[in-house]
């Protein structure tokens, strides 16, 4: 109470912050007449001038006003758009490395051009990050007009580019790309063997669009690069055989949590079995060396005790196929990770398929923390302000809208059952249709979208495929068409380009669009439709001329007329079919309506059967509803309910934040190690000559070996000379008379160390003499890098497994994170030891039979990012849609348009009519 009163009088901290930007806005505005008077050449020449000033030590902050004014003038001349004052403010927020919260339709794409231009003046490259390839391409082309006008180079990183193309794109002043592709390049770069092969040139400044989606939602799963691993089917089969020998006392099953754990006796029992099979090292199963074995035992146990054939999976043609737990559908091709799928195959006596090994991985949190300066923009950040501050040190600044917001956000309507709720939803959709009001129906999953689509189809509505750009053609006449054509579209965030088109027309009167929250992201819904998108679709390949001009005008007039109608019908109605766990996602949905001062309405429909209500609604809410007298087929609308739900959402948000924070803490351990390794690698690649490094390694190995067998200050009688002799042979390939040396008068360990070192150095010197210094330097470097990579990958797998088993360990009182940290450190130390030994051993034995290959090949690799909401692999989808766009003519069936993929407008129509596609199946109604 007092707080909100105080805010009324003094304004909020945010208001004050925003107010502080106005003097600069005034200064930028004041430059306008002067810049308007410049010719295009003169305007462009300012870029060179700014660059010189920066090179001479001028601060970017001091150039902000003239640089922003320059960009605004260029935007006016190229796009015909003048940055609004609030857009200038957004640009300043981004330049300061904060998050600009700007509502949908405020023009964030254009806002980014201001700080991008300013920060590109250093010549070090600015990255703009988008959520999908379509948006990266769209924004680079769209904003590229401004950049090119000002003499900046623009690059785009999308799926399917080769290294050469990537490198060129990263060399540009501005590079647009998705979080997945940028992270992927970073990981891949750090597996290269030569510096010039690296494609990225540093991480200076990134602006992340839809920053909440990328840094909060997507960040729940890491980016992974994997490659094939050696065949280990023997191993799985061996472990599998032990499981059926367990009895009830050996494990505990928790049906609810879906976990199974070995008991103390079970562990002892298995340890015996594993020992017999020679699978345990050292004296305890829980020693660090056995982490992987324990992990696979756990997986085998899960495969047997938690997974049921024909319920969770089926076995078909020697393959284990997962059954989706929610839809009951088979998911061929999908595999459980971490060896679980192999464990199921072993259990079912199916062939154990080769597995993939993680070659590298990183979370988005850690990727984006690489940047010297990070900024973000989105319509919805304030609910997650704590997380941005905590994890990324990013402040959220709410930038006011250009026009006052007048959308009517109505209270939720609550029903008793889902069926009643859906009846009300359909009634509202029909009502919108009759009044010609466009409606966007938001769902929480693809399944729910499909269910709603089915209900509409049952009542005679026609669903338009998302690839059908004519979905709304029937509505374009406005008038009767809007009300009578019972058509709707369903978007599910897979075919970004087509979905962008459909969502851009979702503001046409009578349009009904059902979409999950991710669908059509980045494209705003304008009332009456989007004229530019329609022009590109409908007359895009028409040469400029009177014909085209006339058609363009017709479309623009039509859109203007439709806009009047949509306005009269109340603007866009956003209908939420369920509350999401996070308020932010609900706000994203509402934000689709009411852009740039347009009218609009938003409303959520809920039922007591919704997940959020069932799980988090608490008894309090139930009691409240009884008090309010909730009846069958009747809805309750009351501000109390909204408040209560908001509380429930806040609780879930806090819990999810905790989960993410905890995950990050574990990942930070690996991240620190990754940084060390990657830095080392780059340094090694940078060195022309690593002879010094490998010689140092060799000397430490020798010291280490000698120390292991000759205790300090020990008499020669106490030396383990036979052991030392064998190890010198094994590791260094040296046969030395250590036993003779031990008999010498007054000999000490120091003397032995020197002699061994000398012999080893001689061997290496002989190799240099034999093969030439140049070849040896090359060989040393590649042996070093390859051994490092090999060990690092093994290390990653170990860390993964360690993380899986750390919770199961018997350290009752200890904190798993601390345990993980100290064991991970030990493993890292071991890695360094093994590196020294491995490199030395290889080099001591190396014989070069032919000239070394010019370039070391990277292993075959795949990149993955599992979307945390849908469980789908985004990079596989990106690859599939890139492939789909290029369906070979031979694979197209003339009578089945779904096999055609993307057809060029001027191609001959694949149906065989002989006409051009645009005059046949590709024709717009
Ligand atoms: P956001 O990302 O903030 O939702 P977009 O960048 O997609 O918004 O822009 C929404 C629409 O507003 C686009 O059609 C864009 O061309 C238009 N727009 C943005 N800024 C301006 C401006 N200053 N003047 C006119 N139109 C603008
Ligand atoms: Mg946008």
């Amino acid at each position: 109470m007092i707080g909100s009163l105080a805010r009324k009088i003094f304004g909020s901290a945010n208001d004050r912050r925003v107010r502080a930007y106005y003097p600069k806005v005034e200064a930028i505005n004041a430059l306008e007449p002067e810049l308007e008077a410049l010719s295009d050449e003169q305007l462009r020449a300012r870029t060179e001038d700014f660059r010189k000033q920066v090179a001479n030590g001028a601060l970017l902050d001091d150039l902000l006003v003239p640089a922003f004014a320059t960009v605004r003038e260029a935007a006016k001349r190229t796009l015909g758009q003048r940055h609004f004052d609030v857009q200038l403010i957004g640009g300043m927020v981004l330049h300061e490395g904060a998050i600009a919260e700007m509502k949908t339709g405020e023009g964030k794409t254009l806002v980014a051009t201001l700080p991008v231009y300013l920060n590109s003046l250093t010549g070090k490259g600015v990255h703009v990050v988008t959520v999908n390839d379509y948006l990266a391409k769209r924004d680079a082309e769209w904003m590229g007009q401004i950049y090119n006008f000002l003499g900046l180079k623009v690059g785009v990183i999308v799926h399917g580019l080769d290294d050469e193309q990537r490198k060129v794109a990263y060399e540009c002043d501005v590079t647009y790309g998705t979080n997945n592709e940028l992270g992927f390049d970073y990981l891949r770069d750090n597996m290269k063997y030569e510096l010039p092969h690296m494609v990225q040139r540093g991480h200076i400044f990134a602006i992340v669009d839809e920053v909440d989606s990328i840094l909060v939602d997507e960040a729940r799963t890491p980016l992974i690069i994997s490659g094939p691993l050696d065949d280990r089917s023997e191993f799985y089969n061996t472990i599998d055989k032990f499981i059926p020998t367990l009895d009830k006392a050996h494990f505990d099953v928790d049906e609810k949590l879906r976990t199974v754990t070995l008991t103390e006796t079970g562990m002892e029992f298995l340890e015996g079995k594993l020992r017999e099979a020679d699978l345990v090292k050292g004296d305890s199963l829980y020693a660090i060396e056995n982490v992987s074995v324990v992990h696979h035992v756990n997986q085998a146990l899960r495969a047997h005790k938690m997974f049921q054939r024909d319920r969770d999976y089926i076995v078909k043609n020697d393959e284990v196929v997962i059954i989706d737990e929610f839809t009951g559908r088979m998911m061929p091709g999908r595999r459980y990770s971490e060896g679980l799928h192999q464990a199921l195959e072993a259990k079912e006596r199916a062939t154990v398929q080769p597995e993939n090994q993680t070659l590298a991985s990183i979370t988005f949190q850690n990727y984006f923390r690489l940047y010297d300066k990070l900024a973000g923009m989105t319509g919805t950040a304030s609910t997650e302000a704590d997380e941005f501050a905590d994890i990324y040190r990013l402040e959220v600044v709410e930038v006011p809208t250009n026009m006052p917001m007048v959308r009517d956000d109505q209270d939720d309507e609550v029903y008793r059952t889902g069926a009643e709720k859906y009846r009300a939803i359909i009634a509202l959709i029909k009502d919108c249709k009759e009044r010609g009001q466009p409606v966007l129906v938001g769902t929480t999953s693809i399944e729910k979208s499909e269910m709603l689509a089915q209900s509409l189809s049952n009542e005679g509505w026609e669903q338009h495929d998302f690839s059908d750009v004519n979905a709304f053609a029937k509505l374009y006449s406005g008038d009767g068409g809007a009300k009578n054509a019972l058509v709707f579209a369903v978007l599910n965030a897979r075919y970004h380009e087509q979905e962008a088109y459909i969502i851009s027309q979702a503001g046409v009167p009578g349009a009904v669009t059902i979409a999950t929250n991710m669908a059509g992201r980045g494209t705003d819904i304008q009332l009456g439709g989007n004229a530019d998108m329609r022009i590109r679709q409908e007359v895009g390949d028409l040469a400029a001329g009177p014909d085209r001009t006339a058609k363009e005008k017709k479309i623009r007039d039509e859109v203007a007329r439709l806009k009047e109608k949509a306005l009269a019908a109340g603007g866009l109605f956003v209908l939420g079919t369920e509350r999401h766990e996070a308020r932010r996602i609900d706000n994203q949905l509402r934000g689709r309506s009411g852009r740039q001062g347009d009218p609009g309405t938003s409303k959520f429909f809920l039922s007591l059967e919704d997940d959020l209500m069932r799980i988090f609604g608490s008894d309090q809410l139930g009691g409240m509803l009884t008090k309010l007298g909730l009846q069958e087929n009747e809805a309750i609308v009351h501000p109390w309910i909204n408040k209560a739900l908001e509380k429930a959402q806040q609780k879930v948000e806090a819990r999810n934040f905790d989960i993410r924070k905890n995950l990050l803490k574990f990942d930070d351990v690996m991240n620190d190690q990754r940084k060390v390794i990657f830095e080392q690698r780059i340094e090694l690649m940078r060195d022309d000559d690593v002879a010094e490094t490998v010689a140092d390694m060799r000397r430490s190995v020798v010291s280490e070996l000698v120390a292991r067998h000759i205790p300090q200050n020990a008499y020669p009688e106490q030396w383990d000379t036979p052991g030392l002799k064998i190890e010198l042979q094994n590791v260094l390939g040296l046969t030395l008379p250590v036993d003779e040396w031990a008999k010498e008068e007054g000999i000490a360990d120091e003397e032995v160390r020197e002699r061994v070192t000398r012999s080893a150095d001689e061997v290496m010197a002989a190799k240099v003499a034999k093969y030439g210094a140049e070849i040896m330097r090359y060989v040393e470097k590649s042996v070093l890098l390859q051994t490092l990579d090999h060990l690092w990958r093994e290390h990653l797998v170990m860390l993964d497994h360690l993380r899986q088993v750390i919770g199961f360990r018997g350290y009752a009182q200890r904190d798993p994170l601390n345990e993980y940290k100290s064991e991970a450190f030990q493993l890292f130390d071991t890695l360094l030891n093994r590196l020294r030994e491995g490199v030395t051993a290889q080099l001591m034995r190396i014989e070069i039979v032919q000239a070394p290959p010019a370039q070391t090949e990277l292993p075959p690799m795949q990149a993955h990012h599992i979307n945390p909401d849908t469980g789908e692999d985004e990079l596989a989808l990106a690859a599939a849609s890139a492939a789909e766009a290029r369906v070979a003519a031979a694979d197209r069936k003339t009578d089945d348009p779904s096999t055609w993929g993307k057809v060029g407008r001027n191609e001959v129509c694949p149906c065989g009519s002989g006409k051009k596609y645009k005059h046949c199946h590709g024709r717009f109604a």
Side-chain angles (χ1 to χ4, degrees):
M1 261 318 257
I2 295 176
S4 69
L5 197 65
R7 263 197 298 285
K8 270 206 193 105
I9 298 169
F10 302 111
S12 66
N14 192 73
D15 294 340
R16 283 193 294 277
R17 167 130 193 199
V18 168
R19 220 176 301 133
Y21 291 113
Y22 274 99
K24 282 199 175 136
V25 172
E26 300 304 333
I28 296 165
N29 288 342
L31 284 176
E32 193 160 4
E34 189 186 315
L35 294 188
E36 266 175 345
L38 298 181
S39 70
D40 286 358
E41 281 69 38
Q42 286 169 321
L43 192 60
R44 182 168 317 136
R46 290 171 67 86
T47 304
E48 244 347 281
D49 184 45
F50 289 140
R51 281 180 181 152
K52 277 198 198 111
Q53 294 188 45
V54 173
N56 291 332
L59 295 177
L60 292 184
D61 289 345
D62 296 335
L63 292 177
L64 187 144
V65 169
F68 276 29
T70 305
V71 180
R72 183 195 251 177
E73 187 58 31
K76 278 156 63 182
R77 295 188 193 186
T78 51
L79 303 180
Q81 294 182 350
R82 177 179 177 275
H83 290 80
F84 305 128
D85 287 357
V86 287
Q87 289 181 311
L88 299 178
I89 293 178
M92 293 183 224
V93 173
L94 296 177
H95 172 66
E96 285 171 8
I99 292 178
E101 184 183 82
M102 301 180 75
K103 303 268 175 270
T104 310
E106 286 296 301
K108 292 185 281 293
T109 323
L110 187 65
V111 169
T113 56
L114 301 162
V116 163
Y117 177 75
L118 176 60
N119 286 270
S120 77
L121 296 171
T122 61
K124 288 183 187 155
V126 177
H127 295 172
V128 184
V129 186
T130 62
V131 289
N132 61 49
D133 281 357
Y134 162 72
L135 291 172
K137 238 183 294 185
R138 181 197 75 174
D139 294 355
E141 273 169 31
W142 192 12
M143 297 302 121
Q145 299 172 62
I146 300 177
Y147 300 129
N148 289 329
F149 179 92
L150 289 171
L152 262 54
K153 287 210 185 69
V154 187
V156 197
I157 301 285
V158 288
H159 200 80
L161 297 185
D162 64 26
D163 277 3
E164 220 27 69
Q165 295 166 311
R166 284 172 193 265
K167 200 164 172 168
V168 171
Y170 282 116
E171 290 292 336
C172 292
D173 298 295
V174 197
T175 309
Y176 282 80
T178 63
N179 47 326
N180 283 339
E181 294 295 327
L182 296 187
F184 176 54
D185 283 337
Y186 171 69
L187 290 177
R188 249 170 57 94
D189 266 358
N190 284 291
M191 300 163 86
K192 305 270 171 75
Y193 291 106
E194 277 171 60
L195 278 182
H197 296 160
M198 296 179 81
V199 297
Q200 292 189 335
R201 57 173 173 140
H203 302 90
I204 309 300
F205 179 36
I207 299 178
V208 182
D209 193 9
E210 313 274 357
V211 64
D212 54 330
S213 295
I214 292 179
L215 297 191
V216 177
D217 299 329
E218 304 255 334
R220 278 179 289 162
T221 46
L223 193 61
I224 291 171
I225 292 187
S226 67
L229 196 68
D230 296 340
D231 181 17
R232 296 203 300 168
S233 43
E234 256 312 298
F235 175 68
Y236 285 104
N237 288 327
T238 311
I239 291 197
D240 183 74
K241 291 204 193 81
F242 299 143
I243 307 297
T245 64
L246 296 172
D247 63 40
K248 282 218 154 51
H250 289 143
F251 57 89
D252 286 327
V253 176
D254 187 329
E255 285 293 345
K256 225 160 101 210
L257 290 173
R258 278 182 71 90
T259 57
V260 50
T261 39
L262 283 172
T263 58
E264 213 42 62
T265 38
M267 248 158 0
E268 269 167 37
F269 176 80
L270 266 182
E271 184 166 345
K273 293 263 177 192
L274 291 165
R275 234 176 244 296
E276 278 167 37
D278 210 12
L279 286 171
V280 182
K281 294 182 198 123
D283 29 84
S284 157
L285 183 56
Y286 283 99
I288 189 89
E289 299 90 343
N290 298 316
V291 153
S292 277
V293 177
V294 173
H295 167 75
H296 287 295
V297 167
N298 282 331
Q299 295 293 52
L301 194 64
R302 281 179 72 199
H304 278 265
K305 307 298 174 196
M306 300 312 315
F307 287 78
Q308 228 178 62
R309 184 172 173 159
D310 296 329
R311 180 191 74 185
D312 303 304
Y313 63 90
I314 57 155
V315 182
K316 207 173 109 188
N317 304 332
D318 194 33
E319 275 180 49
V320 172
V321 181
I322 300 177
I323 298 177
D324 186 279
E325 142 179 41
F326 298 108
T327 62
R329 269 180 281 185
M330 282 196 281
M331 315 286 286
R334 213 66 162 250
R335 293 178 64 82
Y336 289 115
S337 58
E338 308 280 358
L340 180 58
H341 215 93
Q342 283 78 8
L344 286 167
E345 285 162 343
K347 169 186 168 192
E348 295 297 342
R349 303 277 172 273
T351 309
V352 176
Q353 301 287 326
E355 51 191 317
N356 270 334
Q357 176 191 7
T358 300
L359 301 177
S361 84
I362 192 168
T363 57
F364 288 125
Q365 286 94 335
N366 281 322
Y367 176 72
F368 284 107
R369 289 200 290 200
L370 290 171
Y371 285 85
D372 295 345
K373 182 159 89 177
L374 184 63
M377 44 192 195
T378 173
T380 46
S382 41
T383 50
E384 251 71 22
D386 286 346
E387 180 156 354
F388 287 121
D390 229 39
I391 293 185
Y392 300 96
R393 307 248 161 280
L394 279 173
E395 217 185 324
V396 177
V397 179
E398 291 170 49
V399 180
T401 53
N402 181 44
M403 305 285 278
M405 158 78 84
V406 299
R407 186 184 63 229
D408 177 19
D409 292 331
Q410 301 187 346
D411 284 332
D412 300 349
E413 238 173 63
V414 187
Y415 291 84
R416 286 184 349 157
T417 64
E420 290 166 51
K421 174 178 89 169
Y422 277 102
R423 233 173 285 143
I425 288 171
I426 301 226
L428 181 66
I429 294 175
K430 285 181 180 162
D431 177 54
C432 286
K433 186 79 198 176
E434 268 156 31
R435 293 182 296 102
Q437 181 172 27
V439 55
L440 177 75
V441 185
T443 68
T444 51
S445 69
I446 295 176
E447 283 76 33
K448 292 197 172 130
S449 290
E450 282 173 355
M451 201 186 85
L452 194 57
Q454 192 55 52
S455 307
L456 284 173
S457 301
N458 290 346
E459 302 201 17
W461 289 60
E462 232 178 275
Q463 176 175 349
H464 279 261
D465 201 84
F466 39 74
S467 65
D468 178 4
V469 292
N470 292 322
F472 298 124
K474 285 184 194 161
L475 310 178
Y476 290 157
S477 69
D479 312 328
K483 296 173 184 175
N484 302 330
L486 297 183
V487 293
F488 66 97
V490 178
L491 312 185
N492 53 23
R494 275 198 163 180
Y495 300 88
H496 302 303
E497 188 163 355
Q498 293 95 322
E499 294 189 6
Y501 180 77
I502 290 182
I503 205 87
S504 74
Q505 310 306 335
V508 171
V512 175
T513 314
I514 301 172
T516 54
N517 68 60
M518 298 200 299
R521 280 191 294 191
T523 302
D524 73 328
I525 303 179
Q526 304 185 9
L527 296 178
N530 182 319
D532 291 332
M533 300 270 275
R534 274 188 60 187
I535 286 168
R536 209 168 315 133
Q537 275 298 342
E538 296 172 36
V539 298
D541 54 352
L542 220 57
D547 185 23
R548 176 168 172 142
T549 313
K551 285 194 166 135
E552 278 191 20
K553 180 168 182 319
K554 182 167 170 279
I555 293 175
R556 286 197 194 281
D557 290 347
E558 201 167 69
V559 169
R561 203 164 60 87
L562 291 170
K563 177 169 180 178
E564 288 310 314
K565 282 187 175 292
L567 281 169
L572 180 68
F573 199 117
V574 165
L575 191 172
T577 58
E578 200 171 320
R579 285 274 201 139
H580 194 275
E581 279 187 2
R583 289 169 296 167
R584 182 171 47 84
I585 311 284
D586 291 344
N587 292 341
Q588 270 174 17
L589 182 60
R590 287 196 204 270
R592 293 291 200 155
S593 169
R595 64 176 295 277
Q596 294 286 341
D598 284 344
T601 304
S602 76
K603 183 172 198 164
F604 282 79
F605 284 69
L606 317 176
S607 90
L608 296 182
E609 293 173 353
D610 293 353
D611 290 343
L612 187 72
M613 299 282 254
R614 274 192 304 113
I615 305 171
F616 304 104
S618 77
D619 303 337
Q620 196 200 351
L621 190 64
M624 195 185 294
L625 290 168
T626 327
K627 213 185 282 164
L628 293 169
L630 184 56
Q631 304 275 333
E632 187 169 347
N633 276 327
E634 261 179 35
I636 279 197
V637 181
H638 201 285
W640 285 0
I641 299 170
N642 289 42
K643 286 249 161 61
L645 268 177
E646 207 165 297
K647 284 240 170 66
Q649 285 176 312
Q650 271 169 355
K651 257 188 263 165
V652 187
E653 285 164 16
R655 192 199 56 175
N656 286 341
F657 178 26
D658 274 345
I659 294 175
R660 285 191 292 269
K661 234 183 351 198
N662 200 38
L663 269 179
L664 192 61
K665 278 186 198 143
F666 276 90
D667 189 63
D668 279 345
V669 176
M670 192 224 280
N671 196 49
D672 290 342
Q673 301 186 350
R674 174 177 41 228
K675 271 206 231 142
V676 173
I677 295 285
F678 283 7
E679 272 163 24
Q680 274 297 304
R681 268 192 116 258
I682 289 183
E683 212 137 279
L684 291 175
M685 284 193 281
R686 201 169 275 150
D687 282 350
D688 294 326
D689 183 344
V690 296
E692 210 35 58
T693 312
V694 296
D696 282 346
M697 288 185 162
R698 190 165 60 241
R699 282 166 205 145
S700 355
V701 171
V702 170
S703 292
E704 166 75 13
L705 286 183
V706 172
R708 219 182 290 163
H709 299 277
I710 304 184
Q712 244 180 354
N713 302 326
Y715 296 110
E717 300 83 79
Q718 296 165 306
W719 295 4
D720 172 19
T721 42
L724 180 58
K725 203 168 164 173
I726 293 170
E727 278 224 277
L728 289 176
Q729 176 67 49
N730 286 350
V731 179
L732 301 175
L734 290 177
T735 319
L736 295 173
V738 230
D739 29 8
E740 299 297 319
W741 296 349
K743 290 178 197 144
E744 289 174 25
E745 190 70 38
I747 188 150
D749 57 340
E750 195 48 47
E751 180 70 22
V752 176
R753 193 170 298 128
E754 266 164 35
R755 287 185 198 174
V756 178
T757 305
R758 213 176 308 129
S759 307
D761 287 353
E762 274 163 19
V763 172
M764 288 316 293
K767 288 195 197 291
V768 175
K770 184 165 165 197
Y771 301 117
E774 199 185 331
I775 288 192
M776 276 316 285
R777 296 296 93 93
Y778 178 87
V779 168
E780 282 164 354
K781 197 159 166 172
S782 51
V783 165
L784 188 50
L785 286 171
Q786 286 182 44
T787 313
L788 179 63
D789 289 349
H790 173 76
L791 290 172
W792 172 243
R793 280 168 211 160
E794 275 190 15
H795 179 73
L796 286 180
V797 176
M798 293 275 271
L799 283 182
D800 252 2
H801 292 174
L802 177 64
R803 198 153 140 183
Q804 309 278 338
V805 301
I806 201 95
F808 293 121
R809 290 212 180 168
Y811 310 112
Q813 259 67 35
R814 301 196 217 167
D815 171 21
L817 181 63
N818 282 338
E819 284 305 307
Y820 177 75
K821 274 186 189 160
S822 77
E823 304 249 322
F825 179 77
Q826 261 184 48
L827 279 175
F828 193 70
D829 199 43
T830 316
L831 173 136
L832 296 180
N833 279 330
R834 289 177 62 202
L835 176 67
R836 283 194 283 267
E837 213 170 288
V839 168
T840 306
Q842 277 188 73
L843 287 175
M844 288 292 287
R845 286 179 176 77
I846 207 137
E847 294 298 336
I848 299 161
V849 266
Q850 59 184 76
Q855 184 191 334
T856 318
E857 289 274 324
L858 289 182
M861 292 186 292
Q862 293 168 320
H864 314 275
H865 180 252
I866 303 299
N867 183 298
D869 289 314
T870 60
E872 288 175 328
D873 188 339
E874 287 171 355
L875 282 141
L877 284 178
S881 82
E884 180 177 333
R886 294 185 301 265
V887 174
D891 296 334
R892 287 175 174 161
K893 296 199 191 85
T894 48
D895 55 351
D896 182 3
S898 72
T899 61
W900 296 351
K902 198 169 185 161
V903 186
R905 308 270 308 139
N906 284 314
E907 264 186 70
V908 178
C909 189
C911 76
S913 65
K915 286 191 263 184
K916 280 190 176 180
Y917 180 65
K918 64 177 176 187
H919 297 310
C920 190
H921 277 77
R923 196 166 33 141
F924 299 105

